[in-house]
Amino acid sequence: MRDHPSRQWAVAAALIASVWAFFLLPPQQAAWSGDGIPPWLGTLDSQPVYDGIRMWLASMGVYDFYLVFGAAASASFLLLWFATGPTLVALGWSGRVLGWLLLAAAPITLASYLNHPADAPLHGVWGAEGIALLAICLWAMAVAIVAPRDVAPLWERLLLAATLLIVVGATVLLTYWPHGSLVGLGIEAAVLAAWAPRADAEDPKDTARPNAMTNAADGT
């Protein structure tokens, strides 16, 4: 049984994943779009914290900000996998597969950005995080269909079925993937972590109660 993290830490991890992706979004969009960055993101990107990070990176000889702020988004996928573990395990084999997809998206995202230069040895994997996101969304729909009805309440199955809409909506609203997409996915994960049934190990106190009732009925 998967009983870690606790519900409180699961919610925190999902929200941190969302916040981290949003924090990375302005400098990543600036590196990608240049002068074409949406004004509101440009305003955020001009904040001293991002100038300080870029100066620090430059002092170490790192000037590929697109790679740095892009690859760092892989941490959000790891946090989402960690946060949703007990919830997805409770949904059976289909939920476990969804968890594996979230986990796999982390190294895929890292490899994608590491190989974005045209002369990179694995340049063909650049952009593969988009395929990973699509796989997550489509499989979430499958989970909504096949998850046991006695485990997954209707609201949870509807939320999983809406994953594609949530991810697309967040991407359009925040103008970039996977960072904007991860903001929406992190919020969805936080809702699941907060209220969905979990695959927690049985509480010893709960297993003791039936035994006590049986003993009483037997007169022992």
Side-chain angles (χ1 to χ4, degrees), residues 77-140:
F77 281 112
L78 284 176
L79 286 167
L80 292 178
W81 164 78
F82 178 70
T84 57
T87 297
L88 296 181
V89 168
L91 299 175
W93 68 271
S94 63
R96 287 185 171 90
V97 172
L98 183 55
W100 296 337
L101 288 173
L102 285 170
L103 180 60
I108 289 172
T109 300
L110 181 61
S112 170
Y113 282 102
L114 285 173
N115 288 280
H116 83 87
D119 58 349
L122 297 175
H123 181 65
V125 305
W126 181 37
E129 72 279 4
I131 298 175
L133 268 173
L134 181 59
I136 289 168
C137 293
L138 295 179
W139 190 255

Side-chain angles (χ1 to χ4, degrees), residues 4-20:
H4 295 291
S6 68
R7 193 175 289 276
Q8 292 85 349
W9 280 108
V11 174
L15 292 177
I16 291 171
S18 186
V19 170
W20 177 244

Side-chain angles (χ1 to χ4, degrees), residues 38-106:
W40 69 274
L41 277 174
T43 299
L44 289 177
D45 181 62
S46 65
Q47 297 305 304
V49 61
Y50 294 120
D51 291 335
I53 293 173
R54 282 186 284 257
M55 289 178 61
W56 174 66
L57 290 171
S59 71
M60 296 189 297
V62 178
Y63 298 96
D64 191 345
F65 302 137
Y66 175 79
L67 185 159
V68 173
F69 293 111
S74 59
S76 287
F77 281 112
L78 284 176
L79 286 167
L80 292 178
W81 164 78
F82 178 70
T84 57
T87 297
L88 296 181
V89 168
L91 299 175
W93 68 271
S94 63
R96 287 185 171 90
V97 172
L98 183 55
W100 296 337
L101 288 173
L102 285 170
L103 180 60

